Amino acid sequence: MTLRSWLIVPGHSEKQLAQAPRAGADVVVVDLCATVPAAEKAAARALSAEWLRAFREPVSGGQGMARWVRISPFDSGMWREDLLAALAGAADGVILPHAAGPEAVRQLGIELYEFEQKLGVPANSTLIVPVVGETPRTALGIADYAEAVHPRLAGLTWRPDGLADALGIGRDTGSGALGDPFAYVRATCLLTARATDLAALDAPCETWEDEAVLRGAIMSARRDGFTGMFAIHPAQVPAINAAFSNDPFTMPVVTAAADHVAAIPQVSAATAPSIAAQAQPGLMPGLIRRAPILRST
């Protein structure tokens, strides 16, 4: 089965990490960046490494899931500590936010190789997904990723709020409509990934309560050719899975996401803390894996 839904979970939340395997996502992304307060970074790394080790093998009777980690950007001064936590738990892949271009992927690949050797992780087994186009300059260089594809490069993704911050502009998050700069980055990310046989994952929809907006965002990603989509709340996962499991032009109407929440053990709209509520608005990047390995075992 193709990996369709990628659920972001704050690395410092023991409760949400415990609930994540039951949400039905194909991929769980442990976030050590935007959703974790600075004062809790160290504790989040320790908790995340423990969680990654615990779920390295599928739970009894459960569905296997990929385990990814979003590290802090290079300019944060904290990314090596995040990388150590990810490799200590043998994460399947690493998300690099604010990627400056292909050279950033090469630099991260060198660091990964050293950590793999030190920690006994199989060489070259940890994949990389950069978040592209978060500044005007990097937006103009997205196609450079197609010139020489790094062996670890699994795909490309984008984040609208990064570019909005760089341009000093706002955007319409209520309707899901994209202005020209965001549409350019999204389309270039998609086309570059598909042109180089990489997977492409769309940015998450920032609502899980408005069925029409959520359904529109998911169907747009599916019909445009993305291979999957991020989720920032467990309620979004069933709708994403349904959309990416059917023909994009013939699939039935997706059931309201809120109706699915109660079916997830120990997760409900009333009791499950919202990932989005804990994060700074919009700081939820995407992630992806190379198309040939987007299969669950």
Side-chain angles (χ1 to χ4, degrees):
M1 178 186 297
T2 300
L3 302 180
R4 308 148 297 179
S5 52
W6 303 69
L7 176 62
I8 304 172
V9 181
H12 69 298
S13 174
E14 186 173 358
K15 180 178 181 180
Q16 292 186 64
L17 284 170
Q19 294 172 339
R22 298 188 290 273
D26 295 330
V27 182
V28 172
V29 183
V30 180
D31 187 25
L32 293 176
C33 186
T35 62
V36 180
E40 299 186 48
K41 293 285 188 182
R45 294 184 190 110
L47 180 61
S48 297
E50 180 182 356
W51 185 92
L52 290 165
R53 286 190 291 264
F55 290 96
R56 189 169 183 176
E57 300 295 334
V59 295
S60 178
Q63 177 183 340
M65 62 183 177
R67 304 158 304 119
W68 282 66
V69 175
R70 184 172 78 136
I71 64 173
S72 301
F74 280 167
D75 61 4
S76 68
M78 298 181 289
W79 64 273
R80 281 193 174 88
E81 289 85 351
D82 294 348
L83 198 61
L84 177 59
L87 271 292
D92 296 310
V94 172
I95 313 304
L96 179 62
H98 300 286
E103 181 57 37
V105 173
R106 288 190 286 271
Q107 180 182 347
L108 182 56
I110 293 172
E111 297 285 344
L112 281 171
Y113 182 78
E114 294 180 0
F115 277 116
E116 287 170 345
Q117 294 297 302
K118 292 178 181 178
L119 298 173
V121 176
N124 301 314
S125 63
T126 314
L127 303 176
I128 299 172
V129 170
V131 183
V132 304
E134 294 194 83
T135 67
R137 181 175 295 276
T138 59
L140 293 175
I142 293 174
D144 293 344
Y145 287 95
E147 297 302 317
V149 180
H150 192 279
R152 291 184 187 267
L153 184 61
L156 304 175
T157 191
W158 74 293
R159 183 173 74 89
D161 288 279
L163 184 60
D165 293 342
L167 294 175
I169 61 176
R171 62 188 187 87
D172 182 2
T173 58
S175 68
L178 294 175
D180 288 345
F182 309 110
Y184 170 83
V185 170
R186 181 177 183 268
T188 308
C189 172
L190 169 64
L191 293 174
T192 303
R194 299 307 296 266
T196 51
D197 195 30
L198 300 173
L201 194 79
D202 206 358
C205 178
E206 296 179 7
T207 181
W208 60 95
E209 297 171 323
D210 189 320
E211 178 187 355
V213 173
L214 176 61
R215 183 172 63 247
I218 294 171
M219 291 310 302
S220 175
R222 179 71 172 92
R223 287 172 172 154
D224 286 347
F226 284 92
T227 61
M229 189 174 183
F230 258 108
I232 59 172
H233 191 283
Q236 297 176 325
V237 170
I240 294 173
N241 286 346
F244 284 89
S245 298
N246 293 276
D247 184 285
F249 298 102
T250 61
M251 69 163 288
V253 175
V254 178
T255 304
D259 294 340
H260 290 279
V261 185
I264 303 173
Q266 299 184 26
V267 179
S268 69
T271 61
S274 166
I275 293 174
Q278 296 190 30
Q280 300 176 42
L283 292 182
M284 294 295 173
L287 71 167
I288 41 190
R289 300 187 75 179
R290 187 180 298 273
I293 56 175
L294 278 173
R295 305 286 171 182
S296 61
T297 56

